[in-house]
């Protein structure tokens, strides 16, 4: 093996290197191919063919100087092959002719990848995958599949559904894009804020899917780290593609600051750890620093929004030297601002908890108690868990016990159930003592 | 250019009073015609004058009324020809009835 070969294969496994390179390039190649072909499924298949070709040739020939261009050209040829095989379908003939014109006879060393267009293509791809005409679970799945490059099996595992079910969901979504003609473009200024919000909430949902109390057949896991990583990657990509949008940065800051605490959210036995008991030594300092920096950049754009407010709250939590020294007063104010911007009873629950942190459990209960009658919160587990905690802290044990029982009945997550049961049991011990 | 049908539904008994929507329908009609996207449209008579036909092994059965008891009934339709779904959704959102009931937007098969 020559030294040059060593440079090409820094890792022990050439196939793994091909896979990694492919993964880095694939979203851009796919995005451009979809624009050329106007067909999600065909583009996906062609990109898959190109990956197979890369796996067959790169380990021997080395990774091309411009792997993106190589993949683009190869995928386009594979698409042409596929179209030729299906050319009985008349409307594809016209596209075949058009594509044949696009295809250069040889691997075009001098043919640069259209860089500016690629940025736009990826943005188009995000907006198309997150189009409001698709149901949110379909948006998440499609985004993970096309932009994240997760396999159908991986997406299925993340959603705890069978691979066949997920495959059907993905096929249905791509078919709707084609048949209903969901446009492949970044929406115009009139629709942009609304549509962007759909994109941001999709990325946020992916993050929460990974960060939340996820449980699956393989055992109870509080965290599905790979989805958090994927959401962060998408958040960074969005920031790169839309550098002047404050809320795009706000979302990235929010998920970075939450993610920084990921390792501390469960103890070594896999049990849920409440935030005030998290081991701060296990927080990821680099991620906190990045989150703070991104938040500062967002705030410098001077267009406040809900993601930035939530990121600011997350920042105050991780910046406190200890749980007891958390700046609850400012957090309560930020929740107040968030409630004015996006009124929601759930935000009011959080505000009540923050007020309790700042001014004691009675002050929190004064805000929380009226929310118990809100019909929208009948099944809001955090409301009852917070109610129980505040009653306990206020010393009203009998009421606290009833509230814990109610919260327990509403909790579906086994890790959260265990935590609530533990607190309920503690309450009994305290009373008996 | 793809064609879409916009089906407008209204809640049974919850129809808007004619004076609430009359003027806006006029303006909407004018706008959609001027845009050159309108192929056909019609408002439908109330569902209680509908007759449902069903052909089974025992022959043709006629039932008085719409095919099912629903809380929302089909009140009318527009057939339009536009660039893509976003444009169709815009016309659907601007329809005066969309404030009172849902508007279903469906691509025409193969169009």
């Amino acid at each position: 093996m020559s030294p040059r070969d060593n440079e090409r294969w820094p890792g022990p496994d050439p196939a793994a290197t091909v896979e990694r390179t492919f993964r880095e390039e694939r979203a851009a190649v796919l995005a451009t191919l979809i624009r050329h072909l106007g067909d999600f499924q065909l583009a996906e298949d062609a990109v898959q063919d190109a990956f197979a070709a890369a796996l067959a040739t790169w380990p021997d020939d080395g990774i091309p100087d411009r792997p993106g261009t190589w993949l683009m050209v190869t995928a386009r040829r594979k698409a042409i092959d596929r179209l030729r095989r299906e050319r009985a379908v008349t409307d594809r003939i016209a596209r075949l002719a058009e594509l044949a014109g696009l295809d250069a006879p040889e691997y075009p060393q001098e043919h640069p990848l259209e860089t500016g267009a690629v940025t736009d293509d990826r943005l188009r791809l995000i907006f198309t995958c997150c189009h409001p005409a698709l149901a949110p679970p379909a948006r998440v799945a499609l985004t993970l599949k096309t932009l994240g490059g997760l396999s159908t099996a991986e997406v299925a595992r993340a959603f705890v559904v069978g691979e066949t079910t997920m495959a059907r969901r993905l096929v249905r979504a791509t078919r709707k894009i084609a048949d209903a003609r969901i446009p492949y473009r970044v929406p115009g200024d009139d629709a942009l804020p609304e549509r962007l919000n759909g994109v941001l909430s999709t990325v946020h949902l992916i993050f929460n899917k990974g960060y939340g109390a996820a449980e699956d057949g393989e055992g109870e896991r509080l965290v599905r780290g790979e989805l958090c990583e994927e959401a962060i990657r998408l958040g960074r990509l969005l920031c790169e593609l839309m550098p002047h949008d404050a809320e795009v940065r706000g979302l990235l800051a929010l998920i970075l600051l939450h993610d920084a605490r990921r390792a501390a959210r469960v103890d070594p036995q896999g049990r849920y750890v409440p935030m005030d008991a998290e081991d701060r030594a296990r927080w990821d300092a680099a991620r906190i620093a990045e989150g703070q920096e991104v938040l500062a950049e967002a705030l410098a754009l001077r267009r406040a929004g809900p993601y930035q407010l939530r990121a600011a709250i997350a920042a105050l939590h991780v910046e406190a030297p200890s749980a007891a020294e958390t700046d609850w007063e400012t957090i309560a104010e930020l929740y107040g601002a968030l409630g004015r911007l996006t009124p929601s009873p759930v935000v009011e629950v959080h505000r009540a908890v923050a007020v309790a942190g700042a001014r004691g459990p009675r002050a929190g209960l004064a805000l929380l108690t009226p929310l118990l009658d809100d019909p929208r919160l009948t099944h809001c587990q955090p409301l009852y868990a917070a109610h129980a905690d505040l009653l306990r802290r206020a010393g009203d044990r009998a009421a606290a016990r009833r509230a814990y029982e109610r919260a327990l009945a509403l909790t579906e997550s086994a890790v959260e159930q265990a935590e609530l049961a533990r607190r309920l049991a503690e309450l009994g011990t305290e009373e008996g003592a | 250019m793809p064609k879409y049908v916009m089906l407008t539904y209204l809640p049974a008994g919850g129809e808007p009073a004619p004076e609430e929507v009359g003027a806006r329908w006029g303006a909407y009609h004018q706008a959609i015609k001027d845009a050159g996207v309108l192929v056909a449209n019609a408002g439908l008579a109330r569902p209680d004058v509908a007759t449902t036909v069903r052909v089974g092994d025992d022959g043709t059965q006629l039932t008085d009324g719409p095919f099912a008891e629903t809380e929302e009934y089909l009140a009318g339709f527009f057939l339009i020809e536009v660039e893509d779904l976003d444009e169709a959704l815009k016309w659907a959102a601007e329809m005066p009835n969309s404030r009172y009931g849902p508007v279903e937007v469906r691509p025409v098969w193969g169009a």
Side-chain angles (χ1 to χ4, degrees), chain A residues 52-398:
Chain A
L55 265 183
T57 56
W58 291 5
D60 292 330
D61 302 350
I63 291 186
D65 293 334
R66 288 194 304 273
T69 307
W70 189 98
L71 284 167
M72 187 66 237
V73 171
T74 308
R76 206 182 278 162
R77 290 218 183 108
K78 298 290 184 188
I80 293 170
D81 291 346
R82 279 176 177 269
L83 282 172
R84 281 202 182 110
R85 288 203 293 273
E86 300 170 33
R87 74 180 146 192
V89 188
T90 40
D91 79 322
R92 294 200 167 191
I93 293 178
R95 262 195 274 149
L96 179 63
E98 190 188 321
L99 280 169
L102 287 169
D103 188 35
E106 293 302 319
Y107 172 48
Q109 284 294 339
E110 304 309 318
H111 178 82
L113 205 56
E114 313 139 74
T115 4
V118 167
T119 301
D120 298 343
D121 286 342
R122 279 185 297 175
L123 204 51
R124 274 188 204 110
L125 185 55
I126 295 178
F127 276 99
T128 308
C129 290
C130 299
H131 196 280
L134 299 170
R139 286 181 221 169
V140 170
L142 206 56
T143 303
L144 285 170
K145 180 85 196 303
T146 59
L147 281 142
L150 264 66
S151 70
T152 304
E154 286 170 317
V155 180
R157 231 175 295 136
F159 279 84
V160 205
V161 299
E163 199 177 332
T164 337
T165 309
M166 185 49 73
R168 262 203 303 269
R169 191 181 291 176
L170 284 163
V171 165
R172 198 190 162 276
T174 44
R175 236 184 239 157
K176 181 161 184 186
I177 290 172
D179 292 348
R181 314 244 183 169
I182 290 177
Y184 186 61
R185 65 156 175 253
V186 179
D189 288 346
D190 52 332
L192 189 61
E194 197 185 314
R195 292 289 172 86
L196 179 59
N197 203 37
V199 170
L200 296 180
S201 71
T202 301
V203 175
H204 196 208
L205 219 72
I206 291 171
F207 180 80
N208 284 339
K209 195 86 195 158
Y211 195 70
E215 288 163 41
D216 54 37
E218 301 153 30
E220 287 152 15
R221 280 192 303 157
L222 193 63
V223 161
R224 239 181 269 267
E226 62 274 32
L227 286 182
C228 297
E229 298 293 344
E230 196 50 50
I232 290 170
R233 213 182 59 82
L234 288 165
R236 288 203 179 111
L237 177 64
L238 273 172
C239 283
E240 183 195 313
L241 299 175
M242 305 185 80
H244 306 298
D245 192 282
E247 278 291 90
V248 166
R249 272 169 209 278
L251 172 69
L252 178 61
L254 173 66
I255 60 183
L256 284 167
L257 290 165
H258 274 286
D259 192 67
R261 292 175 29 228
R262 187 159 29 115
R265 295 186 76 228
V266 279
D267 68 13
Q269 284 76 46
R271 282 175 308 206
Y272 169 75
V273 179
M275 188 176 172
D276 56 5
E278 281 176 17
D279 177 2
R280 288 166 183 243
R282 298 184 71 191
W283 288 357
D284 184 338
R287 213 140 251 199
I288 291 175
E290 190 190 349
Q292 287 169 320
E293 196 185 316
V294 175
L295 177 60
E297 288 166 2
L299 298 178
L301 293 166
R302 309 192 69 80
R303 270 187 303 269
Y307 285 112
Q308 292 168 78
L309 283 169
R310 293 162 81 173
I313 292 166
L316 284 174
H317 277 298
V318 294
E319 283 162 12
S322 70
E325 290 164 276
T326 303
D327 183 358
W328 287 111
E329 198 68 59
T330 308
I331 290 177
E333 268 171 39
L334 289 170
Y335 273 122
L338 186 59
R340 285 190 293 278
L341 221 51
T342 53
S344 136
V346 178
V347 171
E348 292 310 308
V349 173
H350 287 295
R351 190 165 76 91
V353 172
V355 166
R359 288 169 236 155
R362 296 261 170 227
L365 281 169
L367 289 172
L368 199 71
T369 311
L371 296 171
L372 295 168
D373 295 326
D374 192 322
R376 289 169 297 177
L377 293 174
T378 312
H379 300 289
C380 177
Q381 186 270 344
L383 168 63
Y384 294 101
H387 188 223
D389 278 343
L390 293 188
L391 286 169
R392 174 177 55 82
R393 281 159 58 191
D396 192 344
R397 281 181 194 159

Side-chain angles (χ1 to χ4, degrees), chain A residues 390-431:
Chain A
L390 293 188
L391 286 169
R392 174 177 55 82
R393 281 159 58 191
D396 192 344
R397 281 181 194 159
R401 180 169 301 113
R402 284 195 300 276
Y404 273 122
E405 278 158 3
R406 183 149 189 199
L408 262 168
L410 283 171
T411 305
E412 281 168 22
S413 151
V415 271
E416 282 174 17
Q417 266 171 5
E419 172 61 19
L420 287 168
R422 190 186 62 74
R423 286 190 220 174
L424 182 60
E426 259 180 27
L427 205 61
T429 324
E430 281 167 21
E431 200 174 34

Side-chain angles (χ1 to χ4, degrees), chain B residues 7-96:
Chain B
L7 302 165
T8 154
Y9 290 84
L10 286 173
E15 300 85 358
E19 59 270 20
E20 285 179 62
V21 281
R24 283 194 283 124
W25 268 121
Y28 182 75
H29 235 117
Q30 200 55 51
I32 203 165
K33 267 194 288 194
D34 290 351
V37 302
L38 183 66
V39 180
N41 80 294
L44 302 181
R46 291 183 44 90
D48 51 15
V49 300
T51 310
T52 301
V53 181
R54 213 183 297 263
V55 182
D57 291 341
D58 334 330
T60 303
Q61 266 189 14
L62 299 183
T63 322
D64 182 22
F67 56 88
E69 284 292 322
T70 49
E71 285 175 13
E72 280 161 349
Y73 67 89
L74 181 63
F77 72 88
F78 279 76
L79 177 62
I80 55 170
E81 194 168 16
V82 290
E83 199 68 49
D84 54 40
L85 183 66
D86 278 357
E87 211 184 321
L89 295 177
K90 225 167 85 188
W91 285 111
E94 282 170 17
M95 197 186 291

